[in-house]
Amino acid sequence: MAASGAEVLKVYEGPPLAALSLPRLPLGPGPTAVRVPGEGVSVVHFFATWCEPCRAELPALAAMARRLSGQGVQVIMVDVGEPASRVTRFFETAPVAGEVGLDADRVAARAFGVDVLPASLVFADGQPRLMAVGEVAWDHADKDLLGLVPGR
């Protein structure tokens, strides 16, 4: 169920954003870096473990990632301003919605204009298309996200 007062994804109207690479939290096998944004349609979700709205929306974000898995939509989570050890401990009990990039020095948050958590940017073919500041109603976002997948 969507959280009370949850945001909907809105059309991104900001400046172009350049891709960047972040250290990847090693929660399993994989590369040592995460490319932000990823390929195709990617939801880039900025969060912190101490952020209550971030924690509250995580189950819905993870459920959306599972529903849309294999349909051209991926989730990249970006932890802002925290050490890897804290984020690793957090994900021992919290659901993981996708690869986790570490933005310990807040370079990505600044580059993407993120100053409030949680915040989400949705990219299609490397360009920002949708965004939300605050908790998103991820259980109602499938149509918007799948509408960005080429050929749908």
Side-chain angles (χ1 to χ4, degrees), residues 15-68:
L17 300 173
L20 51 87
S21 183
L22 292 172
R24 178 182 165 273
L25 186 68
L27 295 173
T32 59
V34 175
R35 184 178 182 280
V36 179
E39 299 291 321
V41 175
S42 55
V43 176
V44 179
H45 181 72
F46 289 84
F47 77 103
T49 64
W50 52 262
C51 166
E52 283 303 320
C54 301
R55 295 167 77 104
E57 102 179 297
L58 196 51
L61 179 65
M64 179 275 297
R66 284 190 304 274
R67 277 194 315 276
L68 302 185

Side-chain angles (χ1 to χ4, degrees), residues 2-151:
S4 177
E7 296 292 323
V8 295
L9 293 167
K10 299 176 178 126
V11 173
Y12 177 82
E13 296 178 350
L17 300 173
L20 51 87
S21 183
L22 292 172
R24 178 182 165 273
L25 186 68
L27 295 173
T32 59
V34 175
R35 184 178 182 280
V36 179
E39 299 291 321
V41 175
S42 55
V43 176
V44 179
H45 181 72
F46 289 84
F47 77 103
T49 64
W50 52 262
C51 166
E52 283 303 320
C54 301
R55 295 167 77 104
E57 102 179 297
L58 196 51
L61 179 65
M64 179 275 297
R66 284 190 304 274
R67 277 194 315 276
L68 302 185
S69 176
Q71 297 186 56
V73 177
Q74 66 175 317
V75 174
I76 300 169
M77 301 178 67
V78 178
D79 179 83
V80 179
E82 298 183 286
S85 59
R86 181 178 302 152
V87 183
T88 299
R89 278 193 310 274
F90 175 74
F91 283 117
E92 288 173 358
T93 58
V96 179
E99 287 192 299
V100 179
L102 299 170
D103 188 21
D105 54 7
R106 297 178 171 87
V107 169
R110 282 193 299 275
F112 284 37
V114 172
D115 54 9
V116 174
L117 297 176
S120 300
L121 291 158
V122 179
F123 292 79
D125 297 321
Q127 300 302 312
R129 305 288 187 203
L130 303 171
M131 54 102 39
V133 175
E135 197 174 340
V136 173
W138 293 112
D139 50 346
H140 298 292
D142 294 14
K143 182 178 177 184
D144 290 335
L145 297 172
L146 290 172
L148 296 171
V149 176

